[in-house]
Each structure stands twice: as C-alpha cells, then as structure tokens.
Amino acid sequence: MSTCAVLLLSILVWGAALHKYESFLGKRVEARYRTDYIYHSATGVITLDNGSSIFIEDHFEQDGKKKMLRVEIPYGCILSVIELSLDGSGRS
C-alpha cells in the first residue's frame, strides 16, 4: 500500500472515531451512563458531540417557569444511547 493510501485510510478511520454519536445530533435520545458505581439516565436532545463527550439538553417547565438542563457525558462513561420518538413516549 502506498504512503498516501495509508495516510488517507488513517484519516478516514480517525475521523470516523472522533465523533461516535454524530448521527444522533438534533435527535431526542435517552443516554445511560455511569459515574463510579452509580448508574444514571438522561433524556433530551444531543446538541454537541465534541469527540470526547456528548452534550444532552432538555427544555421543560417547572412551577410555571421555563427551564433548561444541559448534561455533559464523557465517552468513557456512556453505556448506551437510544433514539426516542419526538414526543419521548416510545422508542423509534
């Protein structure tokens, strides 16, 4: 294999591995993750995948006030990411 082919192949593989959850951007998901021995679940829209973490954002209303919650989950803590339907009631 030529040097250019090896370089191109490594760039393609590296680029694909950089953003594991890019296909979920803008979609409503449920992410399960762990911190030490505690397991968590976060539901919302993936707004960013920076190559080492994903950011899940959810907008809701509490006590008549609009609120927003944003969670950063490092790749190493993610157990699963499941796409939900738009209303969040069931899996698509």
Side-chain angles (χ1 to χ4, degrees):
M1 202 182 275
S2 72
T3 306
C4 290
V6 170
L7 180 60
L8 179 60
L9 183 60
S10 63
I11 289 172
L12 290 173
V13 170
W14 178 253
L18 265 180
H19 303 282
K20 292 180 186 179
Y21 301 95
E22 188 174 38
S23 63
F24 289 105
L25 284 176
K27 296 180 181 176
R28 188 161 183 77
V29 298
E30 177 183 7
R32 295 188 177 158
Y33 62 101
R34 63 167 185 76
T35 55
D36 284 330
Y37 298 105
I38 302 171
Y39 292 85
H40 305 278
S41 179
T43 304
V45 176
I46 293 187
T47 56
L48 179 67
D49 176 358
N50 66 9
S52 61
S53 300
I54 60 172
F55 292 80
I56 296 179
E57 195 171 285
D58 196 18
H59 296 268
F60 60 95
E61 194 170 310
Q62 184 179 27
D63 297 327
K65 297 179 182 178
K66 293 185 180 188
K67 301 199 175 201
M68 190 257 306
L69 175 70
R70 184 178 298 136
V71 179
E72 177 182 2
I73 308 171
Y75 277 4
C77 297
I78 297 172
L79 301 173
S80 67
V81 176
I82 302 166
E83 185 177 349
L84 301 174
S85 63
L86 291 177
D87 63 2
S89 63
R91 300 207 163 96
S92 58

